[in-house]
Amino acid sequence: AARYHPKIFLFSRPGLGRPGLSDLVKDLTNQGFSMGSSSTTIGFMITHPLTEEQNPLTSQIDLVSTLEMVQIMNQEDARVAAAVAVELDAIARAIDEITVRMQRGGRLIYMGAGTSGRLGVLDALECPPTFNTPPAMVVGVIAGSQLALSDSVETAEDNAELGAKAIAELGVGANDTLVGIAASGSTPYVLGGIAEARSRGALTISIACSRPSPLEQAVEIGIAPLVGAEVSTGSTRLKAGTAQKMVLN
């Protein structure tokens, strides 16, 4: 299992028995994340995600008029399309690689927690009516399952083994693609799923709004529109969520 703090990522030693999680720990070590350990856990110190920083341009937003407030938010939203534009090469590569696998009968699977997970589920649900795709071709997986679509299920996103289990239960294989969606790029549930998918030969892609991140280091294609700090500190349903939706489009 794994637990997450904004600056600390902890793996329980028993949980590292899974090949994918063991490889993830090696990758984090190779990328220079500071490591510490105890008899029960191995931990990594990670940089504070860009999505969790304070935005100096909105520090007084609660003191201005309503019109000024929405103008500030609109100005911040205007940064999103430009951030996505920087990632177009990676997005195009991801589309091409996904297409090859889908032509072999593979699936496109989105995985995330909270807002990121809901966006993936939304995109998967809209594909059949929009493109006449079979329901099983594009799949959305969210930490906390069906309950998380309407309620907050915070503990589920902190468990890497649950993410790995979800991917195993889907029978993910070499023709499938798993897209891990996480604004901070640090969600243990998604990292566990990515590690399991890679161990099964699937293509792995990340959509995050922070760089560098453990998630991007764990996948083959990383997409990271850097929209900057949120209007409301840490509220990634705002610019980060909008950027993720644009990439999914």
Side-chain angles (χ1 to χ4, degrees), residues 40-54:
T40 59
T41 61
I42 293 177
F44 291 89
M45 201 71 148
I46 62 176
T47 55
H48 204 59
L50 178 62
T51 53
E52 302 298 320
E53 292 182 358
Q54 290 187 325

Side-chain angles (χ1 to χ4, degrees), residues 1-2 9 11 14-24 107 109 111-112 141-144 156-173 178 187-200 202 204:
F9 194 42
F11 296 88
L16 294 178
R18 300 184 71 93
L21 292 181
S22 178
D23 290 342
L24 176 59
R107 297 166 295 175
I109 303 165
M111 178 177 238
V141 180
I142 184 170
E157 69 182 63
D158 296 330
N159 194 319
E161 288 188 7
L162 281 180
K165 181 181 178 183
I167 294 305
E169 289 177 347
L170 280 174
V172 168
L178 177 62
T187 306
Y189 179 83
V190 178
L191 287 165
I194 289 291
E196 181 69 21
R198 288 202 71 169
S199 74
R200 292 167 169 265
T204 55

Side-chain angles (χ1 to χ4, degrees), residues 102 108 110 119-140 248-249:
M102 292 186 104
L108 172 58
Y110 297 127
L119 287 170
V121 171
L122 174 65
D123 198 75
L125 290 174
E126 290 185 341
C127 282
T130 304
F131 304 111
N132 200 31
T133 58
M137 180 177 283
V138 184
V139 180
L248 291 174
N249 290 346

Side-chain angles (χ1 to χ4, degrees), residues 3 29 53 71-73 127 135 155 172 175 194 211 213:
R3 289 178 287 124
T29 303
E53 292 182 358
Q71 287 174 334
I72 290 170
M73 291 189 71
C127 282
T155 56
V172 168
N175 288 330
I194 289 291
R211 178 180 277 154
S213 74

Side-chain angles (χ1 to χ4, degrees), residues 81-93:
V84 173
V86 174
E87 298 299 305
L88 292 182
D89 285 347
I91 294 169
R93 182 183 165 209

Side-chain angles (χ1 to χ4, degrees), residues 4-6 46-52 113 116 157 181-188 190-191 207-216 224 226 230 234 236 240 244:
Y4 172 68
H5 177 273
I46 62 176
T47 55
H48 204 59
L50 178 62
T51 53
E52 302 298 320
S116 298
E157 69 182 63
I181 313 170
S184 68
S186 305
T187 306
V190 178
L191 287 165
I207 302 176
C209 292
S210 188
R211 178 180 277 154
S213 74
L215 180 58
E216 186 169 37
L226 303 180
E230 296 288 1
T236 52
Q244 290 171 332

